[in-house]
Amino acid sequence: MKKILIVDDEKTIRDGLEQLINTTKKYEVVGKCKNGEDALNVARKTSPDIVVTDIRMPVMDGLEFISSYSSKKTTKFIILSGYGEFEYARAAHVLNVFDYILKPVDYELFLQTLEKAAASFDETTNEISRKKCQLGLLSLQPSISSLEEIDSILKDLSMEYKNITPIVISVSNPYNISSENLILRKDFI
């Protein structure tokens, strides 16, 4: 079950979204907050997978909240707003918001957007897990017996993940490979 945090200064909207989300039985609402400051505290405690937030709220608005919390890169943000102004949409785009839906909310569109956000969350977390596993293999393979094997593994990883720069770290150096040989060459990147 994906964890969802709802942030809106209107109680009727918070409650209505919670009821709608609960009808799907696919998600767990981990909190309902009336402003971004409250949401920041709840988000840090509950680590939601998806956040549905309004933009304009007292104390801390939705964009400030997203900016403050977005250090958790896997969280997907859906903005619900009564404001279709370009500046809000542009700010949302800069913050990598998953989607921007105008109020009044079309419930079918909202549920479709929620499904897409959940799928995107899964895709992102799966990709991160794959990268961690593959990069971790380098430190867990005691059978690597030569610089050529290291070169081959690094080249394979670099081909598959073009935006990752593999780094070799060795606490002990059982193969007596000199440190200058461990520096990645341009052809690996």
Side-chain angles (χ1 to χ4, degrees), residues 2-6 17-29 49-53 76-78 80 98-99 101 106-122:
K2 299 285 178 284
K3 298 184 292 184
I4 298 181
L5 175 61
I6 300 169
L17 288 174
E18 180 182 36
Q19 285 179 343
L20 179 64
I21 290 166
N22 286 340
T23 63
T24 68
K25 301 192 185 328
K26 297 178 183 179
Y27 310 102
E28 174 191 3
V29 175
D49 304 317
I50 300 169
V51 173
V52 179
T53 184
K76 302 299 176 188
F77 295 93
I78 299 171
L80 303 180
F98 182 78
D99 210 337
I101 300 174
D106 175 305
Y107 294 123
E108 190 173 313
L109 173 66
F110 174 74
L111 290 176
Q112 289 171 357
T113 302
L114 207 53
E115 283 291 319
K116 290 177 186 173
S120 178
F121 174 85
D122 287 341

Side-chain angles (χ1 to χ4, degrees), residues 10 24 31 45 47 63 79 86 101 115 120 126 145 186:
E10 295 180 49
T24 68
K45 292 175 186 169
S47 298
L63 295 173
I79 290 181
F86 175 74
I101 300 174
E115 283 291 319
S120 178
N126 288 340
S145 60
K186 292 261 186 225

Side-chain angles (χ1 to χ4, degrees), residues 154-155 158 162 164-166 183-189:
L154 291 176
K155 191 173 267 187
S158 296
K162 300 213 182 304
I164 289 183
T165 303
I183 296 172
L184 293 179
R185 299 187 314 261
K186 292 261 186 225
D187 61 331
F188 288 128
I189 299 171

Side-chain angles (χ1 to χ4, degrees), residues 22-106:
N22 286 340
T23 63
T24 68
K25 301 192 185 328
K26 297 178 183 179
Y27 310 102
E28 174 191 3
V29 175
V30 294
K32 298 186 299 182
C33 303
K34 61 184 175 188
N35 62 57
E37 185 175 77
D38 291 345
L40 194 55
N41 292 327
V42 171
R44 287 180 176 149
K45 292 175 186 169
T46 62
S47 298
D49 304 317
I50 300 169
V51 173
V52 179
T53 184
D54 190 7
I55 288 184
R56 299 207 39 194
M57 298 175 286
V59 185
M60 178 189 284
D61 70 28
L63 295 173
E64 283 180 85
F65 160 65
I66 292 169
S67 179
S68 298
Y69 185 68
S70 66
S71 62
K72 187 173 184 227
K73 302 294 184 199
T74 56
T75 302
K76 302 299 176 188
F77 295 93
I78 299 171
I79 290 181
L80 303 180
S81 180
Y83 301 92
E85 297 171 18
F86 175 74
E87 283 304 310
Y88 289 131
R90 186 178 69 74
H93 176 73
V94 168
L95 292 170
N96 280 329
V97 167
F98 182 78
D99 210 337
Y100 190 107
I101 300 174
L102 288 175
K103 293 177 183 175
V105 176
D106 175 305

Side-chain angles (χ1 to χ4, degrees), residues 140-177:
L140 299 175
Q141 291 185 3
S143 62
I144 297 174
S145 60
S146 69
L147 184 57
E148 288 75 28
E149 281 187 74
I150 292 173
D151 284 349
S152 174
I153 292 169
L154 291 176
K155 191 173 267 187
D156 289 345
L157 287 174
S158 296
M159 295 292 230
E160 188 168 348
Y161 301 110
K162 300 213 182 304
N163 59 342
I164 289 183
T165 303
I167 299 171
V168 177
I169 299 172
S170 176
V171 175
S172 64
N173 194 347
Y175 310 115
N176 269 340
I177 299 172

